Amino acid sequence: MTSAAGSWFDVGARNQDMQDVYLFGHAQNYRQALQDYTQLAGKTPLMKKAMYGAMYTRWFDFDNSDIEQLLSMYQTYSLPMDVLILDMNWHKKDAWTGVSWDRQLYPYPQDTIDLLHHKGLLVAANIHDAEGVGIFEDSYAQIASTMGMNPAMNQTVLFSPMNATYMHAVEDMALKQTGFDFFWIDWQQGGNFGGTPGGQLNPTFITDHVRGTNSIRRGDNVRDQILARWGGMGSHRYPVGFSGDVSELTWECFAFQPYFSVTGANVAYGFISNDLVGPANDHELHVRWMQFGSFSGVLRIHDRGMSAGGCWPNCPIVNMWQLPDEYFLPIRDIMLARVALIPYIYTQGRDSFDTGVPLVYPMYYDSPNENAAYAMGPDGTNAQYMF
């Protein structure tokens, strides 16, 4: 619904004293409940095939030569990589938000993109939207003018997710020009930031929707793709999910991830990405974390910045070849097993579109009368699930 004020949502037209309620009365037929739910709330789209393989990302000031070295090491150690995601390091550092390449690190960005595409990789980048478009951005003058501002005034174009003109300007004048295949939408989650009313209509859901449907708006015959935080019910329409930065590299944090990922299936949010990284002093935990990640909805290696700087000598291990062989080899084997299963996983992605049941789901879908099927807990208790 578009209002006269330029927003694509007419908040004032919402019923203030009425609420729609949907009852799904399926008893223990959980599969049918999910199928009916996705008929109402939308399907989980089939993703680009590479998304079902192995992803790598790290918050680190990579430059072009670092990327080349990383690819070389992966090839040397026969490790799979299907998607490379650059964290915040890719953009200008004038603010937390950035939509333009940092040309001190990447003087020829298109060459970097071309190199990665030549290797057969999808390439993505992290973006924090909340600070808007600053005067330092390459696209600032064009976006400011589009928003009716005078670029000579050097005023930041505020993040305005309720404004279709703003959102489409950022998509078409800034992000599309970077050359990335998709974006990792980060930082804001829920709330009423950026002038949104909050609740279901929050900035996370809006940015997920916009970037998850750009090709439809543009008339491009491609599959849209994002990596993003949970924006509320209906977020299953915009995979891949992102569970947030892992707080600590402990068995307790690891134990929660299977429970969280599997429970997400109950609202069709089944393709959830968790941080996979290992502590310096517990290689067994690293192996187990990677084994889980390889048999979860999404395999994504990520370090949120714990592996550099003041952490020495106890920095987390991102590059598995630094481990002793007794730990490295099982990790490599399980990653190779993941990519070998891509035909199966891709087929299950299509099945998820058709039925609403994700790749990873709870035991009680298939065994609803078994009490033990409901025993999985957030502390790692009875951590069994279907894949």
Side-chain angles (χ1 to χ4, degrees):
M1 187 180 297
T2 304
S3 73
S7 170
W8 41 19
F9 302 104
D10 190 348
V11 179
R14 297 175 67 186
N15 291 324
Q16 301 300 315
D17 57 353
M18 300 179 68
Q19 188 173 30
D20 293 332
V21 176
Y22 299 91
L23 172 65
F24 294 88
H26 295 79
Q28 292 178 313
N29 191 346
Y30 306 121
R31 288 176 173 274
Q32 188 62 52
L34 277 174
Q35 187 159 35
D36 289 350
Y37 170 67
T38 54
Q39 289 290 336
L40 174 69
K43 298 281 192 175
T44 300
L46 189 63
M47 298 186 292
K48 297 174 185 288
K49 187 165 72 171
M51 301 297 289
Y52 301 103
M55 303 186 199
Y56 179 99
T57 185
R58 183 184 182 190
W59 187 12
F60 186 77
D61 271 342
F62 285 114
D63 60 19
N64 192 70
S65 63
D66 294 324
I67 295 296
E68 291 180 348
Q69 171 140 12
L70 177 67
L71 297 179
S72 176
M73 295 300 283
Y74 261 66
Q75 183 174 5
T76 297
Y77 287 96
S78 301
L79 288 163
M81 185 191 300
D82 299 286
V83 182
L84 177 66
I85 306 173
L86 299 179
D87 208 324
M88 301 177 51
N89 46 279
W90 75 275
H91 64 68
K92 294 181 179 182
K93 309 301 188 294
D94 302 72
W96 198 252
T97 297
V99 295
S100 309
W101 284 92
D102 181 344
R103 292 180 182 268
Q104 295 184 31
L105 297 177
Y106 301 94
Y108 305 103
Q110 192 56 51
D111 288 352
T112 301
I113 295 288
D114 290 345
L115 167 69
L116 294 166
H117 282 167
H118 180 72
K119 296 288 186 179
L121 301 178
L122 285 181
V123 193
N126 178 288
I127 178 171
H128 294 77
D129 285 280
E131 292 183 333
V133 179
I135 63 173
F136 53 86
E137 302 287 6
D138 297 346
S139 54
Y140 169 73
Q142 187 179 12
I143 293 176
S145 297
T146 299
M147 295 302 296
M149 299 169 59
N150 180 359
M153 298 297 292
N154 289 332
Q155 296 175 324
T156 297
V157 183
L158 298 179
F159 174 55
S160 305
M162 295 291 287
N163 189 305
T165 301
Y166 170 84
M167 291 298 297
H168 293 160
V170 172
E171 297 304 302
D172 298 339
M173 300 173 188
L175 299 183
K176 188 176 182 180
Q177 311 310 315
T178 62
F180 290 110
D181 296 307
F182 67 96
F183 285 88
W184 170 12
I185 306 167
D186 207 354
W187 197 1
Q188 75 281 352
Q189 183 167 346
N192 58 357
F193 193 82
T196 62
Q200 188 62 37
L201 200 55
N202 63 74
T204 309
F205 196 90
I206 295 172
T207 51
D208 291 2
H209 170 76
V210 170
R211 291 176 190 138
T213 58
N214 265 330
S215 65
I216 298 173
R217 175 177 62 86
R218 293 169 177 159
D220 297 335
N221 187 25
V222 296
R223 293 177 187 169
D224 282 308
Q225 187 66 63
I226 62 170
L227 170 62
R229 296 175 185 266
W230 167 258
M233 295 292 284
S235 292
H236 66 279
R237 298 195 299 268
Y238 315 113
V240 165
F242 165 47
S243 61
D245 293 325
V246 63
S247 58
E248 297 176 331
L249 302 184
T250 63
W251 287 94
E252 290 74 19
C253 283
F254 166 50
F256 181 72
Q257 286 189 358
Y259 173 80
F260 178 81
S261 300
V262 171
T263 303
N266 290 335
V267 288
Y269 196 65
F271 291 97
I272 298 174
S273 161
N274 299 295
D275 289 359
L276 303 174
V277 63
N281 55 2
D282 192 342
H283 303 326
E284 177 71 16
L285 175 56
H286 196 169
V287 173
R288 299 304 181 190
W289 220 318
M290 290 300 299
Q291 288 173 332
F292 159 66
S294 295
F295 285 91
S296 65
V298 178
L299 166 60
R300 183 179 61 88
I301 295 166
H302 177 61
D303 164 51
R304 63 178 175 87
M306 297 185 290
S307 63
C311 62
W312 181 261
N314 294 311
C315 297
I317 296 174
V318 182
N319 299 320
M320 288 79 69
W321 55 85
Q322 297 172 341
L323 293 166
D325 279 354
E326 64 183 293
Y327 301 103
F328 165 68
L329 294 176
I331 289 177
R332 183 176 65 182
D333 288 346
I334 204 67
M335 292 180 68
L336 291 172
R338 169 74 184 209
V339 297
L341 285 170
I342 286 179
Y344 167 77
I345 298 170
Y346 187 73
T347 301
Q348 295 307 305
R350 171 65 204 216
D351 187 69
S352 179
F353 172 83
D354 291 330
T355 69
V357 179
L359 170 68
V360 171
Y361 62 87
M363 302 291 287
Y364 46 81
Y365 286 18
D366 295 337
S367 304
N369 296 315
E370 294 289 339
N371 289 335
Y374 299 86
M376 188 177 188
D379 59 354
T381 304
N382 297 308
Q384 300 182 77
Y385 57 88
M386 300 301 293
F387 180 87

